Amino acid sequence: MSEYTIGILILACVNLISVLGLSLLTGFTGQFNFGQAGFMAIGAYTAAILTTRLGAPMAVAIAAAMAMSGLASVLIGYPTLRLKGDYFAIGTLGFAEAIRLVIENFDKLTGGSRGIPRIQTYTTLPVALAAVAVALVVVASYIGSTHGRNCIAIREDEMAAEAIGVDAFRYKQVSFAINAVLAGLSGALLAHYVGFIQPSMFGLVKSTEMIVIVIFGGMQSLTGAVIATFLLTALPEVLRAAMAWRLVLYGVLVVFIMIVRPEGVMGTWELSPRNVKAAFARLRSKARPERAGKAG
Amino acid sequence: MTVLELDAVSKRFGGVVAVDGFSHRLEEGGLYAVIGPNGAGKTTIFNLITGIYQPTSGSIRFRGEDITGLPPFKIAQKGIARTFQNIRLFSHSSVLDNVRTACFRSSSYSILEGLFPTPRRFREERMLREKTLNLLEMVSLADRAEEKARNLPYGYQRRIEIARALAQEPKLLLLDEPAAGMNPDETRQLMDFIEHIHKTFKLTILLIEHHMELVMGLSQHIVVLDFGKTLASGTAEEIQSNPAVIEAYLGSGEEV
């Protein structure tokens, strides 16, 4: 594999970790978060400051990044997750902008808008793949658990969820915290892949990119999140030939998919042995309709 | 034993008194009904019992414990389950998952354990699945278990909602107009169904109903509400012959 391909793969893995968290929070728990970049920024800066200034090992930096980002979600979630409807989404949007401004103006620690240069590039492909694997197992387990079902219940009908005894506020907090911890991890890995961070990398554009990937892949499908992350991370690179038009093309393609398939590429379908078997069975019965008709 | 005791419960919305000093006791194992014209405050009483509304005054005790002012999920956890007038299902989830979700308190693994594929968690998930399938069998929904709840006909959706409430293993079941929108045939099936679950699950049931036939045929005790006030209370025969009730609710005509 060329250096370039490996680079794109690492970037996709780093994005995917953040997207998995967001998929749990927005896709499965139904809480829109337009400030994902804020949590990634906390992770990136915490880790980068620790490794560049204090010479901390990467593992310590990652753990601190995840803890700080998780802590931020608790502080933000407590007052905003009780709000109904769109207010939580607006709260996250404001939070991310506030974080970016704090980083920009706290230049003694963060280097201000010039950012932090010369960060060790610890994030290699094996590191990124291992982190993705852990994130996938954790999020998939959670969604398949009784606690994950409670999250889905909240998304579907919060009043009915409370009526069966689900503490909606608590479950929203947990989803928000898992999301933030993963975003922190993603940010830490990003900083140590690119080798340089600055506040403008964590603006509204980044937050939007994350939420677009979740919606594009299918709000209720981790499989969709994985596919969409790789597709949409690679797409701008593939479109590089189109030069100045590439972001326009990117936008047009996303809009096109949303019109043709509003439920996202995968909808609610998940890649599992059982679902694959069922899909094959459907294909076979389509291929030979006369026999399927008799059997049915 | 008294399961539920409402003591002079009132609820005001601004100048409107939706429920005015409502008092009632439900004894264990009984089947009670609240009837009354539209806007009499029936659903408000349910919302007060389940904590969706806070009473303006008065108190609610469940099995001897004061539950006034508790949030809905805590009241549900104490053992009060309900259905809604406009069915509220987890409509994109399967029938199985709708009911299985409500079983969550029979499992004991923590949120932390939910993050990892531990053996204990698989064991408990298997137990939850079996439990759910048993329950679906009992309410004759087992063959629809994998279908999405919203794709099933109305009568089935009602039954899923009741099954979901039963999955909570409640002590008290509140049914809000279970026969709303049903034809006479479906209503009769529903009556049998409610009678069946009342017996098998040894529940105390309180139901709100417009459907006179259903109420008179089922309930041991009926409360008639009008403009937030209790108009009458007693057995089906007593209610049917009460002149105030006939005037306010059944109408003064000869039809009934």
Side-chain angles (χ1 to χ4, degrees):
Chain A
M1 259 190 292
S2 70
E3 195 87 350
Y4 178 62
T5 322
I6 291 175
I8 294 173
L9 276 179
I10 294 178
L11 206 57
C13 288
V14 168
N15 277 339
L16 181 53
I17 293 167
S18 176
V19 166
L20 286 172
L22 197 57
S23 179
L24 168 65
L25 178 67
T26 302
F28 289 89
T29 320
Q31 308 303 308
F32 270 86
N33 168 9
F34 285 107
Q36 186 72 337
F39 295 103
M40 293 174 74
I42 293 175
Y45 272 89
T46 306
I49 289 167
L50 282 175
T51 54
T52 55
R53 302 239 166 160
L54 303 172
M58 184 62 177
V60 173
I62 283 179
M66 290 163 79
M68 284 294 279
S69 180
L71 188 69
S73 79
V74 175
L75 295 178
I76 298 304
Y78 192 77
T80 54
L81 279 172
R82 284 184 203 277
L83 304 172
K84 302 268 177 230
D86 308 327
Y87 298 105
F88 171 70
I90 294 165
T92 57
L93 191 76
F95 158 75
E97 280 306 285
I99 288 292
R100 202 172 56 81
L101 287 173
V102 167
I103 291 172
E104 227 163 70
N105 290 298
F106 203 173
D107 32 352
K108 271 215 181 101
L109 198 61
T110 63
S113 49
R114 278 170 292 117
I116 301 178
R118 290 188 298 282
I119 305 169
Q120 288 272 352
T121 49
Y122 289 121
T123 310
T124 57
L125 189 58
V127 170
L129 284 173
V132 162
V134 172
L136 245 172
V137 167
V138 164
V139 174
S141 298
Y142 190 68
I143 287 169
S145 75
T146 152
H147 306 293
R149 279 195 296 275
N150 287 350
C151 293
I152 294 170
I154 293 165
R155 179 198 66 205
E156 288 289 315
D157 191 323
E158 193 170 333
M159 196 191 260
E162 293 250 344
I164 62 166
V166 174
D167 185 348
F169 178 60
R170 177 152 165 265
Y171 276 104
K172 286 185 205 170
Q173 274 187 314
V174 170
S175 288
F176 196 31
I178 295 172
N179 165 65
V181 166
L182 290 175
L185 171 61
S186 168
L189 293 174
L190 182 68
H192 292 84
Y193 163 64
V194 183
F196 165 72
I197 49 172
Q198 60 181 24
S200 64
M201 290 163 69
F202 303 100
L204 192 54
V205 174
K206 189 73 186 171
S207 295
T208 313
E209 186 193 341
M210 295 290 115
I211 204 108
V212 163
I213 292 176
V214 171
I215 297 171
F216 186 94
M219 290 275 272
Q220 302 152 52
S221 168
L222 287 183
T223 313
V226 175
I227 291 172
T229 306
F230 280 94
L231 264 179
L232 291 187
T233 308
L235 192 58
E237 305 298 329
V238 175
L239 294 177
R240 228 169 247 286
M243 309 275 278
W245 289 94
R246 85 191 163 105
L247 285 181
V248 177
L249 274 176
Y250 177 95
V252 168
L253 273 172
V254 171
V255 170
F256 177 75
I257 287 283
M258 285 344 296
I259 291 170
V260 181
R261 235 185 118 73
E263 71 273 38
V265 176
M266 301 308 287
T268 59
W269 197 81
E270 291 287 12
L271 184 68
S272 71
R274 204 157 129 237
N275 288 343
V276 170
K277 239 203 233 150
F280 270 120
R282 257 203 310 279
L283 273 181
R284 236 173 301 156
S285 68
K286 257 189 202 151
R288 279 174 287 176
E290 70 291 347
R291 285 184 68 182
K294 259 180 220 159
Chain B
M1 183 193 173
T2 305
V3 173
L4 189 77
E5 190 176 357
L6 293 120
D7 185 23
V9 174
S10 296
K11 177 68 184 172
R12 291 169 171 278
F13 296 102
V16 180
V17 186
V19 176
D20 190 3
F22 183 75
S23 297
H24 203 64
R25 290 164 81 110
L26 307 187
E27 297 300 329
E28 188 159 20
L31 212 165
Y32 298 81
V34 177
I35 61 171
N38 276 327
K42 306 186 296 291
T43 298
T44 308
I45 288 179
F46 268 27
N47 287 341
L48 288 167
I49 296 172
T50 54
I52 290 172
Y53 297 152
Q54 309 296 329
T56 314
S57 64
S59 73
I60 303 165
R61 299 176 74 81
F62 179 62
R63 293 157 63 85
E65 185 187 351
D66 192 354
I67 58 163
T68 325
L70 287 183
F73 77 89
K74 280 208 176 125
I75 291 176
Q77 289 183 0
K78 297 219 179 281
I80 301 182
R82 73 172 289 178
T83 64
F84 294 87
Q85 196 170 339
N86 326 306
I87 306 175
R88 283 174 171 268
L89 289 174
F90 309 131
S91 48
H92 292 84
S93 301
S94 65
V95 174
L96 180 76
D97 273 344
N98 264 277
V99 178
R100 181 159 55 168
T101 305
C103 290
F104 78 98
R105 279 165 41 78
S106 326
S107 73
S108 59
Y109 64 92
S110 66
I111 285 177
L112 203 62
E113 283 173 278
L115 295 173
F116 303 99
T118 61
R120 186 162 100 101
R121 165 238 171 100
F122 282 118
R123 218 168 35 240
E124 293 206 1
E125 280 297 323
R126 247 197 321 274
M127 178 273 290
L128 282 183
R129 193 185 160 85
E130 243 162 62
K131 196 179 144 127
T132 309
L133 287 174
N134 277 341
L135 184 62
L136 288 179
E137 197 75 55
M138 265 190 257
V139 298
S140 331
L141 280 169
D143 50 332
R144 311 305 280 268
E146 299 294 340
E147 284 179 63
K148 274 194 185 172
R150 65 165 179 176
N151 293 342
L152 292 185
Y154 188 79
Y156 277 91
Q157 294 196 7
R158 277 271 172 227
R159 226 176 319 151
I160 298 168
E161 208 190 17
I162 295 175
R164 186 179 68 187
L166 292 175
Q168 294 169 247
E169 301 180 349
K171 303 282 189 302
L172 171 64
L173 177 62
L174 310 175
L175 301 171
D176 195 347
E177 296 205 23
M182 286 189 172
N183 62 37
D185 204 41
E186 287 172 320
T187 307
R188 206 157 312 114
Q189 280 181 22
L190 183 79
M191 276 172 68
D192 293 341
F193 180 60
I194 294 175
E195 222 160 13
H196 169 69
I197 60 169
H198 182 230
K199 277 196 200 112
T200 19
F201 293 88
K202 297 187 185 66
L203 283 166
T204 310
I205 296 180
L206 173 62
L207 61 91
I208 288 177
E209 198 41 79
H210 254 124
H211 229 280
M212 288 312 277
E213 192 196 354
L214 185 98
V215 172
M216 297 299 178
L218 266 182
S219 310
Q220 297 145 351
H221 194 101
I222 298 170
V223 180
V224 185
L225 279 185
D226 198 16
F227 293 109
K229 284 193 171 144
T230 310
L231 200 64
S233 163
T235 63
E237 295 77 42
E238 286 166 8
I239 294 297
Q240 270 167 321
S241 55
N242 185 315
V245 176
I246 292 168
E247 170 124 14
Y249 186 64
L250 302 175
S252 46
E254 300 77 36
E255 300 255 315
V256 190

